[in-house]
Amino acid sequence: MQMNTPPRSTIRLTRRGRVALIATGAVVAGTAVAVPLLSLESEGDARPTSLVIPEGWRSGQIYEAMDKVLALPVGTTKKSIAKAGLKLPNDAEGNPEGYLFPATYPLKEKATPESLLSFMVNTANQKFNGAPVAAGAQRNAMNVYQAVTIASIVQAEAASKADMGKVARVIFNRLERGMPLQMDSTINYALNRATLKTTSSDTRLDSPYNSYQRMGLPPTPIDNPGEDAMRAAINPPPGDWLYFVTVKPGDTRFAATYEEHQRNVAEFNAAQKNATQKNATQKNSAQPTK
């Protein structure tokens, strides 16, 4: 049942938990989150010995990294999925998103896209299919694939490991109250981008990943979450939070009421205004005098 919720255009839960307010058709948001660089352990021109997949990478980033480290034409890894024989849950319908587990993978001399993809999916199955995860998912009235999907949103939205549990609780509370998730991370996934700047037209995107227009979870995970995000997804702390906003680095505020959230947003806006004025003053003071 839909709860008494302010109009959707006034509520914004953005990637990394930052709030953004829609004004004159645009969204004011923080700086974009930098995409982590591929980390390869190698010396000089020698062949890399391992491939590091960071938490939160999307499948597309992983395919690109694998093509690069294996010195293959762009698109080779993605094309190999169909013949890799990946052991994915039925709900995934052959899409490995969420099951390319973030870790450091050794690169054997005869490594292929198929062998690496299988290694990643098998690792995910070992992590996700054990009793703790299965029991946690059941305790929260969901299956493991849904838990991985929630973990992927937590991975994208939480500003820190400490915030992950509360972000997961916000997701559960919104789902239980029949509220749309309204998170930019799902729209960014649909648009294959990494940015905090989402326009009002973006929120009208015709996509099953548009959590402004569609109720419930997106159809698949939106990245490949790590163990911390998964633990948060199956065992979130108790709480009645429905909103969150990072007022400043290290200070994420969670609120149960829209009124409380508005007060937090006001502090966020004041902090942003002060930062903008400070940057402008520093820039002006750095200008050479004539």
Side-chain angles (χ1 to χ4, degrees):
M1 179 179 178
Q2 183 72 31
M3 301 295 288
N4 292 329
T5 309
R8 294 187 184 185
S9 61
T10 65
I11 303 176
R12 296 295 313 286
L13 289 178
T14 69
R15 193 172 188 273
R16 297 294 183 188
R18 294 179 175 85
V19 76
L21 300 181
I22 297 179
T24 63
V27 173
V28 181
T31 56
V33 177
V35 176
L37 297 176
L38 172 66
S39 176
L40 302 175
E41 296 179 5
S42 62
E43 295 182 4
D45 295 329
R47 185 179 186 277
T49 59
S50 63
L51 171 63
V52 179
I53 303 300
E55 296 176 351
W57 261 21
R58 299 171 185 164
S59 59
Q61 293 171 285
I62 296 173
Y63 302 153
E64 183 179 354
M66 289 172 59
D67 285 343
K68 181 177 180 181
V69 75
L70 296 176
L72 297 171
V74 174
T76 300
T77 297
K78 185 175 182 179
K79 292 178 182 178
S80 71
I81 294 173
K83 58 182 179 180
L86 303 178
K87 297 179 180 179
L88 297 166
N90 291 334
D91 289 347
E93 298 183 351
N95 182 353
E97 191 74 86
Y99 280 75
L100 301 176
F101 194 79
T104 299
Y105 293 94
L107 292 176
K108 297 181 180 180
E109 187 173 346
K110 296 183 179 180
T112 64
E114 293 87 350
S115 67
L116 280 175
L117 288 169
S118 293
F119 197 170
M120 294 176 186
V121 171
N122 291 342
T123 301
N125 284 326
Q126 291 175 2
K127 299 290 186 180
F128 298 156
N129 291 342
V133 173
Q138 185 176 21
R139 186 170 57 249
N140 289 287
M142 59 183 175
N143 61 33
V144 172
Y145 191 72
Q146 290 170 321
V148 175
T149 300
I150 290 176
S152 73
I153 299 174
V154 169
Q155 187 77 62
E157 292 285 343
S160 68
K161 177 181 175 180
D163 290 337
M164 286 183 170
K166 289 185 175 181
V167 170
R169 177 53 64 190
V170 169
I171 294 172
F172 278 110
N173 287 347
R174 282 183 161 250
L175 292 174
E176 290 170 359
R177 287 162 175 74
M179 298 172 65
L181 294 183
Q182 295 183 314
M183 295 193 181
D184 288 358
S185 55
T186 63
I187 291 179
N188 285 338
Y189 182 77
L191 294 173
N192 191 28
R193 66 184 186 186
T195 180
L196 294 179
K197 295 181 179 180
T198 301
T199 66
S200 58
S201 63
D202 289 339
T203 66
R204 297 190 295 272
L205 179 70
D206 183 14
S207 168
Y209 292 92
N210 184 350
S211 60
Y212 284 82
Q213 301 291 338
R214 306 294 180 96
M215 301 298 291
L217 294 173
T220 72
I222 61 171
D223 58 46
N224 293 276
E227 291 184 274
D228 290 329
M230 193 65 186
R231 278 192 288 267
I234 62 172
N235 192 31
D240 54 1
W241 311 292
L242 292 171
Y243 314 92
F244 59 93
V245 53
T246 298
V247 175
K248 57 185 177 181
D251 183 11
T252 299
R253 311 277 181 85
F254 292 82
T257 67
Y258 186 63
E259 291 72 25
E260 180 184 1
H261 181 61
Q262 284 183 304
R263 292 193 292 271
N264 293 334
V265 169
E267 288 194 43
F268 166 81
N269 288 333
Q272 292 296 300
K273 182 178 180 180
N274 290 337
T276 299
Q277 292 176 340
K278 182 178 180 180
N279 290 337
T281 300
Q282 292 175 340
K283 182 178 180 180
N284 291 334
S285 63
Q287 294 293 327
T289 57
K290 295 183 179 179

